Amino acid sequence: MRATASKRLSATTLGCLILVSVAMTVADAAFVHHSLGGRSQRQMNPAPTFHALGIPRGGAVDPTSARSRLSMMTELPFVASITSPFWKTTAFYAICDFVGFIISLVTGWHVHLDLIGTGAFALTALPGISSSLMHVKWTSCAIAVWGTKLASFLFFRAIQTGHDKRLEDTLSTVSGMAGFWFVTLVWQVLCSLPYTMGMSTKATATAVSGNPLVIKAGALLFGSGLLIETTADLQKYFFKQSNPGKFCNVGLWSISQHPNFFGNLVLWSGILLMNGPSLIDPMPPNAGIMQRLWGCKRLFVSFLTPLFLWSLFSAQANGSLSKTIDLANSKYGSDPGYRQYVDEVPLIIPNLFK
């Protein structure tokens, strides 16, 4: 049953990635076409002549004119779409994950998994910190802080444990390694949607830099999620250091079986909120309903982030994606307190009225 559920989730994530890829290519191309005033490619780029290419009859090339032609080529819808922040970020993630796959293949290590997988978020966010756009600057800082914090903590923990028992079977084969790093890429791409959509130059060139009040509200939500996630990780770490062999049911872990997952959901929702206003294309006052809905396409696509995270965390928490439940049952199943804990404490969303 777990294998079937895992394959179903993998197929779902692949479908989501394909859907997002197609949607963003079409959306970017449509936006560029609209920003060019609906001009056709023939109008924008008429049939070349020696004069138009800047080539005198003698054969010499005018470098200024040639550069102008090259610049015009980059404005073509398809060319502009594949050079958008979404595709640049995706390409960087793919490179990082390929390096991670090679390390896994050659060494069989586990210690680098989260360092590369999560650390890639921080690296992609660094250039945006210097942006003049408020929502890009704040979001970049938030992702850089979160990525650096979580990657460092998980790397430190991995060095101590040496390997992740939950992934032993998965990483024991080449196909399993490839599947792990592919799912990592899907996770990175879908998580980053609010950020990559919000920092799109085509979206922000004619739009304001976000609503300051909404950005601050999103930052507050992000900070709350970061605090929850960090507190949960530290509480469990120190509890395990003092109580080896026992399950953690103190602090935030007394009201949620996975409070770190909940904190992650909250912080990425904050990032989505910070970018929210900039994800809506500006519209003329007389715009129709369909035009306004199309103008919200980037916002709609970005909502895949919390939906995907909820699906991923739920699958991890209920054991359909990994053998977490089996490992926990083998260690704590004989403890009546653990059975009561599993039956009474919610998987992810905390029970605040306990």
Side-chain angles (χ1 to χ4, degrees):
M1 181 179 297
R2 179 175 297 113
T4 302
S6 179
K7 290 179 180 178
R8 187 182 301 117
L9 182 63
S10 298
T12 302
T13 55
L14 175 59
C16 287
L17 184 60
I18 294 174
L19 177 63
V20 170
S21 300
V22 173
M24 290 318 305
T25 300
V26 173
D28 284 338
F31 191 95
V32 174
H33 180 74
H34 175 74
S35 67
L36 291 173
R39 289 177 292 170
S40 67
Q41 182 174 344
R42 180 176 297 275
Q43 290 173 311
M44 185 182 69
N45 186 21
T49 63
F50 284 109
H51 178 72
L53 292 175
I55 304 178
R57 298 197 193 289
V61 178
D62 181 357
T64 304
S65 180
R67 283 194 297 269
S68 177
R69 302 291 298 178
L70 180 61
S71 176
M72 186 176 292
M73 284 291 294
T74 63
E75 292 182 356
L76 290 173
F78 177 75
V79 176
S81 66
I82 64 176
T83 58
S84 68
F86 171 80
W87 288 110
K88 288 180 179 179
T89 304
T90 299
F92 182 80
Y93 286 148
I95 293 172
C96 291
D97 295 336
F98 180 73
V99 172
F101 169 72
I102 294 300
I103 295 175
S104 297
L105 187 63
V106 174
T107 66
W109 291 346
H110 286 196
V111 295
H112 67 294
L113 302 180
D114 293 302
L115 179 64
I116 294 178
T118 307
F121 284 94
L123 293 177
T124 58
L126 290 179
I129 295 177
S130 60
S131 174
S132 60
L133 298 173
M134 184 178 178
H135 72 281
V136 175
K137 180 186 291 290
W138 282 50
T139 304
S140 299
C141 290
I143 294 177
V145 169
W146 168 77
T148 302
K149 183 272 301 183
L150 187 58
S152 301
F153 171 74
L154 295 176
F155 181 60
F156 170 75
R157 192 180 66 178
I159 291 177
Q160 292 187 321
T161 59
H163 66 285
D164 192 333
K165 292 183 178 180
R166 299 168 300 177
L167 298 173
E168 281 183 343
D169 294 341
T170 301
L171 298 178
S172 62
T173 64
V174 175
S175 61
M177 293 177 188
F180 171 83
W181 285 107
F182 173 75
V183 172
T184 298
L185 175 62
V186 174
W187 166 61
Q188 293 165 334
V189 171
L190 293 182
C191 268
S192 300
L193 284 175
Y195 177 62
T196 54
M197 298 298 98
M199 71 181 295
S200 172
T201 54
K202 289 176 287 299
T204 56
T206 56
V208 295
S209 182
N211 185 308
L213 185 61
V214 174
I215 292 175
K216 292 177 182 179
L220 180 62
L221 188 61
F222 166 83
S224 301
L226 184 67
L227 179 62
I228 293 171
E229 182 187 64
T230 304
T231 301
D233 286 338
L234 292 177
Q235 284 179 340
K236 186 173 185 177
Y237 175 78
F238 288 117
F239 178 88
K240 290 293 186 179
Q241 295 298 308
S242 304
N243 304 274
K246 295 184 178 180
F247 71 95
C248 182
N249 62 346
V250 300
L252 294 175
W253 297 87
S254 66
I255 57 177
S256 170
Q257 295 184 40
H258 301 277
N260 54 336
F261 289 173
F262 177 72
N264 194 271
L265 276 169
V266 172
L267 70 87
W268 278 106
S269 296
I271 291 174
L272 174 59
L273 182 58
M274 276 192 276
N275 288 279
S278 65
L279 295 172
I280 302 175
D281 299 337
M283 290 288 158
N286 60 345
I289 295 178
M290 294 305 299
Q291 187 178 1
R292 291 185 182 278
L293 288 175
W294 181 249
C296 297
K297 59 186 177 297
R298 297 174 192 272
L299 179 63
F300 297 150
V301 170
S302 297
F303 270 106
L304 284 174
T305 294
L307 292 175
F308 170 76
L309 286 177
W310 175 258
S311 300
L312 177 65
F313 291 153
S314 296
Q316 289 180 314
N318 62 32
S320 62
L321 185 61
S322 65
K323 57 181 182 179
T324 306
I325 300 298
D326 291 343
L327 289 173
N329 287 334
S330 65
K331 289 195 293 186
Y332 316 122
S334 60
D335 186 345
Y338 174 71
R339 299 311 316 168
Q340 181 181 4
Y341 175 80
V342 171
D343 292 337
E344 296 181 357
V345 178
L347 282 176
I348 298 177
I349 300 178
N351 182 4
L352 301 178
F353 303 101
K354 181 178 179 181

